[in-house]
Amino acid sequence: MRTLLILGCLLLGAFGALAQNSPDCRSAIPVCADTVIVAFADGAGDIDDFDPDVIRQSGCLEKGSVSSANIENNTSWYVFRAGTDGQIGFDIEALPSTGNTITAEWDFALYGPDTDCANISNGTAQPIRCNYEVNNTRFTGVGVNPENGQQGEPPLTANQNTYDVWLDVREGELYYLLINNFNTNFDGDPEPYTLTFTGRSVEADQDTALDCTLRDEFLGLDIVACEGDPDIVLSALRSPAGPDIASVVWEVDYEDDGVRDAVLPGTGPFGAEYTVTSPNSGRYFVTIQTTLNTTITDDILITFYGVPVLDRVDILDDLSDSNNIEVFVQGDGDYEYAINGGEFQDSHVFMDVPPGENTVVINDKNGCGMTDPIPFLVVGYPKFFTPNGDGIHDAWNVLGIETLTDPTVFIFDRYGKLLKQLDETTIGWDGTFNGRPMPSSDYWFRLDYSRDESGIVVANTIRTHFSLVR
């Protein structure tokens, strides 16, 4: 069990609020500059949150110059929001554990501004500040080392500094901070540290340097997860109630429509935890009654997405001069689309799609999966054909005609004379009439077919033209 002690600066050493640490970016603990955070973390690190290629590229949370070192341990995630424009830093101090000896060596990675956990885990986001080297003092962080006055340097410099340069922030920006224990002597015992925010913004006003309203959202920010992801543990122990919790009630609104569907069984002391398993999307509520007869509430929206599922492809204006399509997906995820091996785009509408068989690939931008290429047919027609016997464009027909119901194509010359009648079994028109080659010119055709629209079969007639070129 990971536990976290948050102590107000004025009350440090007097009493604190017990809370649970977070090993997952999705349930990162909101923090504020007006508190010193004293944390005890144990267990293996959650290095699987990272794309291995990104770790190697950035150098963060890797072995650094110690090639024989072990991988990270004791993962802890925090989230903070800048309350003003200015400068922010932080100090992470290793504290003595058993036997009054410091055995942990803390590293960190800072992400932002305004990235999200999905981009962190899929490798889209890379750390903007980090430490991965051996600490030669009790401290690591961003800004200035309070133990020796060492100024922060840019990440990955030749000096292998364990302090990075100050962070220039703008009001409202959101940042995620990962703290990990990196030590060849790690034995699985809990390891303590403190996290203290610094910088000009904090010196000017620690109450406004970070947006302290974020801390009231103790369940964390809304979570987007993938079906099959690990369970998400919600904890009321992170609330301001601290040790004064008397009872906890969990509820859920599965449709997020304002109606609470069920009361949920909590676990742990006072039922203060609830575990959300995939794929149970919904808005989860907690109501805490304290021993001081006060009520504290919070809620969080958790949405699970799976691999996209194609619903249908609609052809806009069949047989128009430009074939435009619209792709529809089951679900309401954040998707991007590509056809025929091209680049992905956010729009689900594609213009000038070639007639005949095409493919579409749908990617979930939350990192929850990508479809294989899915074939679809565009009912269209060649704008011209060249019946010269070279095996290329020698016959003309409506492409995708076999997908239509009861199709018939009538081909006319410019004077309206019927030259040829085609159906789904016909190879096509070879440009002749009664065995004689027809001249280069524009020819008209009419396509009659039936179409099922909302369960009602509708007869359709389309008339347009194409060119014969010799």
Side-chain angles (χ1 to χ4, degrees):
M1 171 86 56
R2 296 175 173 87
T3 57
L4 173 72
L5 185 61
I6 300 180
L7 304 176
C9 291
L10 297 178
L11 302 176
L12 188 59
F15 67 90
L18 286 176
Q20 187 184 44
N21 211 345
S22 176
D24 193 322
C25 174
R26 298 172 304 178
S27 54
I29 299 172
V31 290
C32 191
D34 67 353
T35 58
V36 174
I37 301 165
V38 182
F40 293 83
D42 62 4
D46 197 6
I47 201 66
D48 290 338
D49 265 352
F50 299 93
D51 182 296
D53 291 333
V54 173
I55 296 173
R56 284 192 289 271
Q57 292 166 11
S58 68
C60 291
L61 302 173
E62 259 286 16
K63 299 178 185 299
S65 60
V66 187
S67 59
S68 62
N70 295 327
I71 200 63
E72 308 287 332
N73 302 282
N74 302 142
T75 304
S76 303
W77 281 95
Y78 300 95
V79 60
F80 62 88
R81 180 185 290 143
T84 62
D85 295 352
Q87 180 197 77
I88 292 291
F90 54 82
D91 299 322
I92 302 167
E93 179 185 8
L95 299 179
S97 55
T98 56
N100 203 33
T101 301
I102 295 177
T103 57
E105 188 210 332
W106 299 104
D107 289 346
F108 69 88
L110 182 68
Y111 296 84
D114 300 330
T115 186
D116 55 45
C117 292
N119 289 337
I120 293 173
S121 62
N122 66 25
T124 304
Q126 296 193 29
I128 58 173
R129 302 286 190 276
C130 65
N131 167 49
Y132 61 96
E133 286 296 345
V134 175
N135 299 334
N136 52 18
T137 73
R138 303 191 319 275
F139 291 88
T140 186
V142 167
V144 177
N145 188 327
E147 187 168 289
N148 59 14
Q150 181 187 50
Q151 295 282 336
E153 297 179 356
L156 311 180
T157 61
N159 294 332
Q160 299 174 343
N161 196 349
T162 60
Y163 259 76
D164 279 358
V165 294
W166 292 105
L167 184 67
D168 292 323
V169 300
R170 300 190 67 86
E171 181 180 355
E173 289 179 340
L174 196 72
Y175 294 86
Y176 285 94
L177 172 62
L178 169 71
I179 300 176
N180 253 32
N181 177 21
F182 178 48
N183 197 311
T184 56
N185 296 322
F186 175 72
D187 58 8
D189 290 335
E191 303 284 359
Y193 63 89
T194 66
L195 171 62
T196 307
F197 286 93
T198 61
R200 288 195 306 267
S201 296
V202 177
E203 294 169 1
D205 190 340
Q206 66 178 13
D207 294 327
T208 62
L210 301 184
D211 181 359
C212 291
T213 62
L214 184 65
R215 188 176 51 191
D216 296 331
E217 302 173 26
F218 54 88
L219 290 182
L221 305 177
D222 290 346
I223 293 174
V224 172
C226 300
E227 293 181 2
D229 274 0
D231 295 345
I232 299 170
V233 179
L234 304 178
S235 177
L237 296 175
R238 302 185 191 127
S239 73
D244 297 321
I245 293 177
S247 65
V248 177
V249 175
W250 296 95
E251 296 175 283
V252 64
D253 173 1
Y254 288 116
E255 301 298 327
D256 194 24
D257 58 3
V259 178
R260 301 191 186 188
D261 299 300
V263 176
L264 305 171
T267 60
F270 314 105
E273 292 182 344
Y274 183 77
T275 300
V276 181
T277 58
S278 168
N280 294 308
S281 299
R283 185 171 294 278
Y284 291 81
F285 300 83
V286 64
T287 302
I288 303 169
Q289 295 294 334
T290 74
T291 56
L292 304 176
N293 201 29
T294 58
T295 301
I296 299 173
T297 63
D298 195 15
D299 63 89
I300 183 173
L301 180 64
I302 299 177
T303 307
F304 289 95
Y305 292 111
V307 175
V309 176
L310 176 67
D311 182 22
R312 67 188 190 278
V313 176
D314 281 357
I315 312 300
L316 306 178
D317 302 324
D318 285 340
L319 300 174
S320 65
D321 287 340
S322 58
N323 298 311
N324 306 324
I325 67 163
E326 190 171 6
V327 181
F328 292 89
V329 182
Q330 296 179 15
D332 56 355
D334 188 10
Y335 306 117
E336 58 183 3
Y337 312 82
I339 65 169
N340 300 329
E343 296 293 324
F344 280 100
Q345 65 180 45
D346 291 336
S347 173
H348 66 297
V349 174
F350 289 86
M351 315 298 285
D352 298 319
V353 178
E357 184 171 294
N358 297 266
T359 59
V360 61
V361 174
I362 308 165
N363 180 51
D364 178 75
K365 294 171 70 174
N366 297 301
C368 295
M370 179 188 301
T371 66
D372 293 327
I374 304 169
F376 67 93
L377 281 171
V378 171
V379 180
Y381 68 98
K383 303 301 187 291
F384 69 92
F385 77 119
T386 56
N388 55 12
D390 65 354
I392 302 174
H393 304 308
D394 280 337
W396 183 95
N397 204 350
V398 172
L399 302 177
I401 189 173
E402 68 277 7
T403 67
L404 302 176
T405 303
D406 301 326
T408 305
V409 178
F410 303 91
I411 300 175
F412 307 89
D413 65 14
R414 67 174 61 187
Y415 304 107
K417 181 180 180 179
L418 179 63
L419 304 177
K420 186 69 175 180
Q421 181 174 323
L422 310 172
D423 60 25
E424 69 272 23
T425 66
T426 309
I427 294 176
W429 184 42
D430 62 1
T432 65
F433 178 67
N434 291 334
R436 297 193 306 272
M438 298 300 292
S440 297
S441 182
D442 280 353
Y443 291 85
W444 290 84
F445 74 92
R446 188 184 80 228
L447 169 64
D448 296 340
Y449 68 101
S450 298
R451 185 172 182 174
D452 191 334
E453 297 181 358
S454 301
I456 302 174
V457 176
V458 179
N460 288 263
T461 298
I462 295 174
R463 182 180 176 88
T464 187
H465 61 90
F466 61 96
S467 297
L468 187 159
V469 178
R470 292 192 184 277

